[in-house]
Amino acid sequence: MTEKSSYEPGTPSWVDLSSPDLAASKEFYGGLFGWDHAEAGDPAQTGGYGFFTKDGKQVAGVMQQESGPPAWTSYISIDDVDGVAARASEAGGQVMMEPMDVLDAGRMAIIIDPSGAVLGVWQPGEHHGAQLVNEPGGLSWNEHTSRDPEKAQDFYGQLFGWAFNKLDDSQVDYWTFHLDGAAGPVGGMIRMTEQWPAEVPAHWAVYFACEDTDATVEKAKQSGGGVTVEALDSPPGRIAGLSDPHGTTFSVIALNPDFTG
């Protein structure tokens, strides 16, 4: 079991789901990944925010959708929310939700990058992020999809100090992003081509690890979900794109234990 208790600033650390039907989402994701659910605290204080858990470890958050479409939101761990929010505006982004304290859990803001992708930033207090990663049912990867990845790289490089490495692949333009001193990549970025439907905006994609990608795809379909990208093999493992019964997209990956990239 790969457990995490802290994240370096500039590292994706958390994801949460805004759902129009919490009971239905708990049932779908619980059946798909074996997740349980726990309240984050007194609903009167937390607004009903809760945690998806696996083996007692927090893997993601879930809350009632208040506005906009249902979505998974990625969060980057940082040590100064207010400073990052200010830099985001200076670098051509927007601050969708101004910096705010979340009880004693931490401090957060929501930003929109120049391509329109929404991203959360999180300054940890008592809550540091996902406690189980790269194990079935755990968070595995965060990936920015963009029609102008060069512009996105400039923005995020200014914001988090990320360096980008383009992979040698003739089929897709793909970059991994890195923190100075980190052992490996902390996330990825892919260019959206004409193969992507025009109505699909730039966004941050979320990957969860699974034991068997094809079996997980079938289970999602039987539970009212859909398939957005058919299962395929990649160097890190076998991946597929899915949607839950409310149309919220996410991806799954059965990690290749021999992959060292």
Side-chain angles (χ1 to χ4, degrees), residues 74-108:
S74 292
Y75 292 78
I76 308 300
S77 184
I78 55 175
D79 54 14
D80 180 8
V81 162
D82 298 80
V84 166
R87 292 202 303 275
S89 297
E90 294 168 358
Q94 303 174 52
V95 180
M96 179 178 177
M97 180 185 292
E98 294 290 342
M100 59 175 285
D101 291 324
V102 184
L103 302 175
D104 55 3
R107 187 166 172 80
M108 65 169 287

mmCIF file of all heavy atoms in Angstrom, residues 74-108:
data_model
loop_
_atom_site.group_PDB
_atom_site.id
_atom_site.type_symbol
_atom_site.label_atom_id
_atom_site.label_comp_id
_atom_site.label_asym_id
_atom_site.label_seq_id
_atom_site.Cartn_x
_atom_site.Cartn_y
_atom_site.Cartn_z
ATOM 1 N N SER A 74 -8.938 19.024 -9.741
ATOM 2 C CA SER A 74 -7.607 18.712 -9.208
ATOM 3 C C SER A 74 -7.099 19.894 -8.387
ATOM 4 O O SER A 74 -7.416 21.053 -8.674
ATOM 5 C CB SER A 74 -6.616 18.449 -10.351
ATOM 6 O OG SER A 74 -6.932 17.264 -11.044
ATOM 7 N N TYR A 75 -6.287 19.582 -7.376
ATOM 8 C CA TYR A 75 -5.693 20.603 -6.510
ATOM 9 C C TYR A 75 -4.175 20.418 -6.462
ATOM 10 O O TYR A 75 -3.686 19.290 -6.371
ATOM 11 C CB TYR A 75 -6.241 20.509 -5.080
ATOM 12 C CG TYR A 75 -7.700 20.871 -4.947
ATOM 13 C CD1 TYR A 75 -8.687 19.960 -5.313
ATOM 14 C CD2 TYR A 75 -8.090 22.117 -4.472
ATOM 15 C CE1 TYR A 75 -10.034 20.279 -5.204
ATOM 16 C CE2 TYR A 75 -9.435 22.444 -4.354
ATOM 17 C CZ TYR A 75 -10.397 21.527 -4.729
ATOM 18 O OH TYR A 75 -11.728 21.856 -4.622
ATOM 19 N N ILE A 76 -3.474 21.547 -6.478
ATOM 20 C CA ILE A 76 -2.019 21.546 -6.356
ATOM 21 C C ILE A 76 -1.651 22.012 -4.955
ATOM 22 O O ILE A 76 -2.136 23.047 -4.483
ATOM 23 C CB ILE A 76 -1.366 22.480 -7.396
ATOM 24 C CG1 ILE A 76 -1.882 22.170 -8.806
ATOM 25 C CG2 ILE A 76 0.160 22.356 -7.334
ATOM 26 C CD1 ILE A 76 -1.611 20.770 -9.294
ATOM 27 N N SER A 77 -0.809 21.259 -4.278
ATOM 28 C CA SER A 77 -0.354 21.645 -2.943
ATOM 29 C C SER A 77 0.640 22.798 -3.061
ATOM 30 O O SER A 77 1.569 22.754 -3.880
ATOM 31 C CB SER A 77 0.316 20.458 -2.251
ATOM 32 O OG SER A 77 0.676 20.792 -0.927
ATOM 33 N N ILE A 78 0.451 23.842 -2.277
ATOM 34 C CA ILE A 78 1.331 25.009 -2.313
ATOM 35 C C ILE A 78 1.530 25.518 -0.882
ATOM 36 O O ILE A 78 0.820 25.091 0.041
ATOM 37 C CB ILE A 78 0.758 26.145 -3.193
ATOM 38 C CG1 ILE A 78 -0.649 26.512 -2.726
ATOM 39 C CG2 ILE A 78 0.744 25.743 -4.658
ATOM 40 C CD1 ILE A 78 -1.246 27.686 -3.438
ATOM 41 N N ASP A 79 2.461 26.419 -0.711
ATOM 42 C CA ASP A 79 2.706 26.955 0.631
ATOM 43 C C ASP A 79 2.239 28.399 0.791
ATOM 44 O O ASP A 79 2.416 28.991 1.858
ATOM 45 C CB ASP A 79 4.186 26.827 1.013
ATOM 46 C CG ASP A 79 5.115 27.464 -0.010
ATOM 47 O OD1 ASP A 79 4.629 28.229 -0.870
ATOM 48 O OD2 ASP A 79 6.325 27.190 0.049
ATOM 49 N N ASP A 80 1.633 28.970 -0.258
ATOM 50 C CA ASP A 80 1.168 30.366 -0.172
ATOM 51 C C ASP A 80 0.039 30.577 -1.171
ATOM 52 O O ASP A 80 0.278 30.969 -2.315
ATOM 53 C CB ASP A 80 2.335 31.318 -0.453
ATOM 54 C CG ASP A 80 1.930 32.788 -0.374
ATOM 55 O OD1 ASP A 80 0.788 33.081 0.036
ATOM 56 O OD2 ASP A 80 2.760 33.651 -0.738
ATOM 57 N N VAL A 81 -1.185 30.303 -0.748
ATOM 58 C CA VAL A 81 -2.336 30.445 -1.632
ATOM 59 C C VAL A 81 -2.473 31.873 -2.148
ATOM 60 O O VAL A 81 -2.704 32.108 -3.342
ATOM 61 C CB VAL A 81 -3.633 30.019 -0.906
ATOM 62 C CG1 VAL A 81 -4.861 30.564 -1.624
ATOM 63 C CG2 VAL A 81 -3.723 28.511 -0.840
ATOM 64 N N ASP A 82 -2.321 32.831 -1.281
ATOM 65 C CA ASP A 82 -2.531 34.221 -1.688
ATOM 66 C C ASP A 82 -1.507 34.651 -2.732
ATOM 67 O O ASP A 82 -1.845 35.351 -3.697
ATOM 68 C CB ASP A 82 -2.470 35.125 -0.457
ATOM 69 C CG ASP A 82 -3.568 34.796 0.543
ATOM 70 O OD1 ASP A 82 -3.390 33.827 1.303
ATOM 71 O OD2 ASP A 82 -4.601 35.481 0.536
ATOM 72 N N GLY A 83 -0.262 34.224 -2.556
ATOM 73 C CA GLY A 83 0.771 34.565 -3.529
ATOM 74 C C GLY A 83 0.520 33.923 -4.876
ATOM 75 O O GLY A 83 0.688 34.556 -5.926
ATOM 76 N N VAL A 84 0.088 32.662 -4.880
ATOM 77 C CA VAL A 84 -0.197 31.968 -6.137
ATOM 78 C C VAL A 84 -1.391 32.603 -6.838
ATOM 79 O O VAL A 84 -1.390 32.771 -8.065
ATOM 80 C CB VAL A 84 -0.433 30.467 -5.889
ATOM 81 C CG1 VAL A 84 -1.050 29.803 -7.113
ATOM 82 C CG2 VAL A 84 0.877 29.769 -5.537
ATOM 83 N N ALA A 85 -2.421 32.963 -6.087
ATOM 84 C CA ALA A 85 -3.585 33.605 -6.692
ATOM 85 C C ALA A 85 -3.192 34.927 -7.354
ATOM 86 O O ALA A 85 -3.650 35.244 -8.463
ATOM 87 C CB ALA A 85 -4.665 33.830 -5.638
ATOM 88 N N ALA A 86 -2.330 35.689 -6.704
ATOM 89 C CA ALA A 86 -1.880 36.950 -7.285
ATOM 90 C C ALA A 86 -1.068 36.703 -8.555
ATOM 91 O O ALA A 86 -1.242 37.398 -9.567
ATOM 92 C CB ALA A 86 -1.047 37.723 -6.265
ATOM 93 N N ARG A 87 -0.179 35.703 -8.529
ATOM 94 C CA ARG A 87 0.634 35.393 -9.714
ATOM 95 C C ARG A 87 -0.228 34.870 -10.856
ATOM 96 O O ARG A 87 0.059 35.124 -12.031
ATOM 97 C CB ARG A 87 1.720 34.371 -9.373
ATOM 98 C CG ARG A 87 2.798 34.899 -8.451
ATOM 99 C CD ARG A 87 4.085 34.096 -8.568
ATOM 100 N NE ARG A 87 3.909 32.676 -8.315
ATOM 101 C CZ ARG A 87 3.919 32.127 -7.115
ATOM 102 N NH1 ARG A 87 4.051 32.899 -6.030
ATOM 103 N NH2 ARG A 87 3.783 30.825 -6.964
ATOM 104 N N ALA A 88 -1.293 34.140 -10.526
ATOM 105 C CA ALA A 88 -2.171 33.623 -11.574
ATOM 106 C C ALA A 88 -2.798 34.766 -12.363
ATOM 107 O O ALA A 88 -2.864 34.716 -13.605
ATOM 108 C CB ALA A 88 -3.261 32.745 -10.962
ATOM 109 N N SER A 89 -3.246 35.786 -11.670
ATOM 110 C CA SER A 89 -3.832 36.941 -12.359
ATOM 111 C C SER A 89 -2.785 37.666 -13.196
ATOM 112 O O SER A 89 -3.048 38.073 -14.336
ATOM 113 C CB SER A 89 -4.451 37.897 -11.330
ATOM 114 O OG SER A 89 -5.514 37.282 -10.642
ATOM 115 N N GLU A 90 -1.593 37.817 -12.648
ATOM 116 C CA GLU A 90 -0.511 38.506 -13.366
ATOM 117 C C GLU A 90 -0.078 37.737 -14.613
ATOM 118 O O GLU A 90 0.360 38.341 -15.598
ATOM 119 C CB GLU A 90 0.677 38.705 -12.429
ATOM 120 C CG GLU A 90 0.406 39.663 -11.269
ATOM 121 C CD GLU A 90 1.496 39.608 -10.213
ATOM 122 O OE1 GLU A 90 2.437 38.796 -10.378
ATOM 123 O OE2 GLU A 90 1.396 40.361 -9.220
ATOM 124 N N ALA A 91 -0.209 36.395 -14.575
ATOM 125 C CA ALA A 91 0.258 35.562 -15.689
ATOM 126 C C ALA A 91 -0.820 35.328 -16.737
ATOM 127 O O ALA A 91 -0.601 34.569 -17.683
ATOM 128 C CB ALA A 91 0.756 34.223 -15.147
ATOM 129 N N GLY A 92 -1.974 35.956 -16.586
ATOM 130 C CA GLY A 92 -3.016 35.842 -17.599
ATOM 131 C C GLY A 92 -4.162 34.932 -17.235
ATOM 132 O O GLY A 92 -5.064 34.708 -18.045
ATOM 133 N N GLY A 93 -4.168 34.399 -16.009
ATOM 134 C CA GLY A 93 -5.278 33.586 -15.561
ATOM 135 C C GLY A 93 -6.308 34.406 -14.807
ATOM 136 O O GLY A 93 -6.229 35.640 -14.754
ATOM 137 N N GLN A 94 -7.289 33.734 -14.230
ATOM 138 C CA GLN A 94 -8.320 34.389 -13.431
ATOM 139 C C GLN A 94 -8.451 33.664 -12.103
ATOM 140 O O GLN A 94 -8.179 32.470 -12.008
ATOM 141 C CB GLN A 94 -9.673 34.346 -14.148
ATOM 142 C CG GLN A 94 -9.695 34.956 -15.533
ATOM 143 C CD GLN A 94 -11.035 34.731 -16.202
ATOM 144 O OE1 GLN A 94 -12.094 35.032 -15.634
ATOM 145 N NE2 GLN A 94 -11.019 34.187 -17.409
ATOM 146 N N VAL A 95 -8.881 34.394 -11.105
ATOM 147 C CA VAL A 95 -9.181 33.773 -9.812
ATOM 148 C C VAL A 95 -10.688 33.591 -9.733
ATOM 149 O O VAL A 95 -11.441 34.560 -9.636
ATOM 150 C CB VAL A 95 -8.663 34.630 -8.645
ATOM 151 C CG1 VAL A 95 -9.000 33.962 -7.317
ATOM 152 C CG2 VAL A 95 -7.158 34.837 -8.763
ATOM 153 N N MET A 96 -11.117 32.344 -9.805
ATOM 154 C CA MET A 96 -12.547 32.025 -9.792
ATOM 155 C C MET A 96 -13.104 32.074 -8.372
ATOM 156 O O MET A 96 -14.225 32.523 -8.146
ATOM 157 C CB MET A 96 -12.759 30.636 -10.402
ATOM 158 C CG MET A 96 -14.178 30.156 -10.450
ATOM 159 S SD MET A 96 -14.242 28.517 -11.251
ATOM 160 C CE MET A 96 -15.992 28.159 -11.074
ATOM 161 N N MET A 97 -12.314 31.600 -7.415
ATOM 162 C CA MET A 97 -12.678 31.655 -6.005
ATOM 163 C C MET A 97 -11.502 32.231 -5.245
ATOM 164 O O MET A 97 -10.409 31.683 -5.262
ATOM 165 C CB MET A 97 -13.023 30.265 -5.467
ATOM 166 C CG MET A 97 -13.408 30.245 -3.989
ATOM 167 S SD MET A 97 -13.664 28.549 -3.364
ATOM 168 C CE MET A 97 -15.153 28.122 -4.271
ATOM 169 N N GLU A 98 -11.708 33.358 -4.601
ATOM 170 C CA GLU A 98 -10.628 34.025 -3.883
ATOM 171 C C GLU A 98 -10.130 33.153 -2.724
ATOM 172 O O GLU A 98 -10.852 32.299 -2.210
ATOM 173 C CB GLU A 98 -11.119 35.369 -3.342
ATOM 174 C CG GLU A 98 -11.463 36.401 -4.413
ATOM 175 C CD GLU A 98 -10.239 36.933 -5.135
ATOM 176 O OE1 GLU A 98 -9.121 36.782 -4.607
ATOM 177 O OE2 GLU A 98 -10.416 37.508 -6.228
ATOM 178 N N PRO A 99 -8.870 33.352 -2.316
ATOM 179 C CA PRO A 99 -8.333 32.575 -1.210
ATOM 180 C C PRO A 99 -9.237 32.619 0.016
ATOM 181 O O PRO A 99 -9.744 33.680 0.390
ATOM 182 C CB PRO A 99 -6.982 33.240 -0.934
ATOM 183 C CG PRO A 99 -6.564 33.805 -2.260
ATOM 184 C CD PRO A 99 -7.845 34.272 -2.883
ATOM 185 N N MET A 100 -9.437 31.441 0.620
ATOM 186 C CA MET A 100 -10.302 31.341 1.784
ATOM 187 C C MET A 100 -9.823 30.205 2.678
ATOM 188 O O MET A 100 -9.235 29.229 2.210
ATOM 189 C CB MET A 100 -11.752 31.084 1.370
ATOM 190 C CG MET A 100 -11.943 29.813 0.558
ATOM 191 S SD MET A 100 -13.687 29.439 0.201
ATOM 192 C CE MET A 100 -14.222 28.850 1.810
ATOM 193 N N ASP A 101 -10.057 30.360 3.973
ATOM 194 C CA ASP A 101 -9.741 29.307 4.922
ATOM 195 C C ASP A 101 -10.855 28.272 4.931
ATOM 196 O O ASP A 101 -12.042 28.610 4.837
ATOM 197 C CB ASP A 101 -9.573 29.878 6.327
ATOM 198 C CG ASP A 101 -8.313 30.735 6.470
ATOM 199 O OD1 ASP A 101 -7.299 30.387 5.838
ATOM 200 O OD2 ASP A 101 -8.365 31.751 7.192
ATOM 201 N N VAL A 102 -10.462 27.003 5.035
ATOM 202 C CA VAL A 102 -11.416 25.904 5.152
ATOM 203 C C VAL A 102 -11.256 25.316 6.548
ATOM 204 O O VAL A 102 -10.508 24.345 6.763
ATOM 205 C CB VAL A 102 -11.170 24.837 4.070
ATOM 206 C CG1 VAL A 102 -12.240 23.754 4.155
ATOM 207 C CG2 VAL A 102 -11.151 25.467 2.682
ATOM 208 N N LEU A 103 -11.905 25.972 7.506
ATOM 209 C CA LEU A 103 -11.759 25.605 8.915
ATOM 210 C C LEU A 103 -10.275 25.453 9.250
ATOM 211 O O LEU A 103 -9.476 26.305 8.879
ATOM 212 C CB LEU A 103 -12.561 24.327 9.199
ATOM 213 C CG LEU A 103 -14.077 24.424 8.886
ATOM 214 C CD1 LEU A 103 -14.755 23.080 9.094
ATOM 215 C CD2 LEU A 103 -14.732 25.497 9.729
ATOM 216 N N ASP A 104 -9.889 24.354 9.902
ATOM 217 C CA ASP A 104 -8.469 24.138 10.191
ATOM 218 C C ASP A 104 -7.831 23.169 9.211
ATOM 219 O O ASP A 104 -6.686 22.752 9.380
ATOM 220 C CB ASP A 104 -8.281 23.639 11.628
ATOM 221 C CG ASP A 104 -9.106 22.392 11.932
ATOM 222 O OD1 ASP A 104 -9.773 21.881 11.006
ATOM 223 O OD2 ASP A 104 -9.092 21.932 13.094
ATOM 224 N N ALA A 105 -8.589 22.800 8.149
ATOM 225 C CA ALA A 105 -8.072 21.843 7.164
ATOM 226 C C ALA A 105 -6.997 22.468 6.277
ATOM 227 O O ALA A 105 -6.019 21.814 5.901
ATOM 228 C CB ALA A 105 -9.206 21.311 6.288
ATOM 229 N N GLY A 106 -7.159 23.757 5.931
ATOM 230 C CA GLY A 106 -6.201 24.412 5.059
ATOM 231 C C GLY A 106 -6.782 25.679 4.465
ATOM 232 O O GLY A 106 -7.833 26.171 4.898
ATOM 233 N N ARG A 107 -6.107 26.213 3.466
ATOM 234 C CA ARG A 107 -6.538 27.433 2.788
ATOM 235 C C ARG A 107 -6.524 27.147 1.289
ATOM 236 O O ARG A 107 -5.590 26.492 0.790
ATOM 237 C CB ARG A 107 -5.601 28.592 3.127
ATOM 238 C CG ARG A 107 -6.050 29.966 2.613
ATOM 239 C CD ARG A 107 -5.239 31.072 3.284
ATOM 240 N NE ARG A 107 -5.483 32.388 2.722
ATOM 241 C CZ ARG A 107 -6.537 33.157 3.014
ATOM 242 N NH1 ARG A 107 -7.442 32.708 3.860
ATOM 243 N NH2 ARG A 107 -6.682 34.352 2.482
ATOM 244 N N MET A 108 -7.520 27.629 0.562
ATOM 245 C CA MET A 108 -7.652 27.254 -0.839
ATOM 246 C C MET A 108 -8.080 28.431 -1.706
ATOM 247 O O MET A 108 -8.524 29.463 -1.221
ATOM 248 C CB MET A 108 -8.689 26.143 -0.995
ATOM 249 C CG MET A 108 -10.108 26.564 -0.629
ATOM 250 S SD MET A 108 -11.376 25.348 -1.100
ATOM 251 C CE MET A 108 -11.406 25.591 -2.891
#
